[in-house]
Amino acid sequence: MARASARHILVSTEAECQALKDQIAGGADFAALAKEHSQCPSGQQGGELGSFGPGQMVPAFDKVVFSAPINEVQGPVKTQFGYHLLEVTSRED
């Protein structure tokens, strides 16, 4: 069964999400931005979500995590919780 590890930053607006993505692209540290901006409790761990399998996260999240390139920031991804930046840190198919 496939497993992945990922980290994310959750914010309430698409504009804020894109601004954070731009900062990361410019060299800002993902984990530091997660600690400062993420509305998810995982933000305090730099956005780390640990390891999980398909179906354990909401569908939009799952789709990105199990298809996106590893170590590339994806997003904004909209879910019922808000807007996410996602980075797949490892995946085993």
Side-chain angles (χ1 to χ4, degrees):
M1 179 187 211
R3 305 260 329 147
S5 295
R7 58 187 182 167
H8 81 134
I9 300 173
L10 172 65
V11 294
S12 55
T13 70
E14 187 173 7
E16 183 179 7
C17 197
Q18 186 61 54
L20 291 171
K21 185 175 185 180
D22 293 344
Q23 288 181 47
I24 293 165
D29 182 66
F30 189 105
L33 290 177
K35 287 178 182 177
E36 187 176 342
H37 296 280
S38 186
Q39 297 170 358
C40 180
S42 69
Q44 295 312 303
Q45 289 78 49
E48 292 290 343
L49 296 170
S51 177
F52 51 91
Q56 290 186 265
M57 300 292 177
V58 295
F61 206 95
D62 246 21
K63 181 179 178 184
V64 173
V65 169
F66 289 98
S67 66
I70 294 173
N71 297 323
E72 279 186 25
V73 176
Q74 306 294 314
V77 176
K78 187 177 188 325
T79 70
Q80 68 264 40
F81 302 107
Y83 292 87
H84 306 259
L85 289 180
L86 301 170
E87 183 181 23
V88 181
T89 54
S90 71
R91 184 171 52 235
E92 298 172 10
D93 299 316

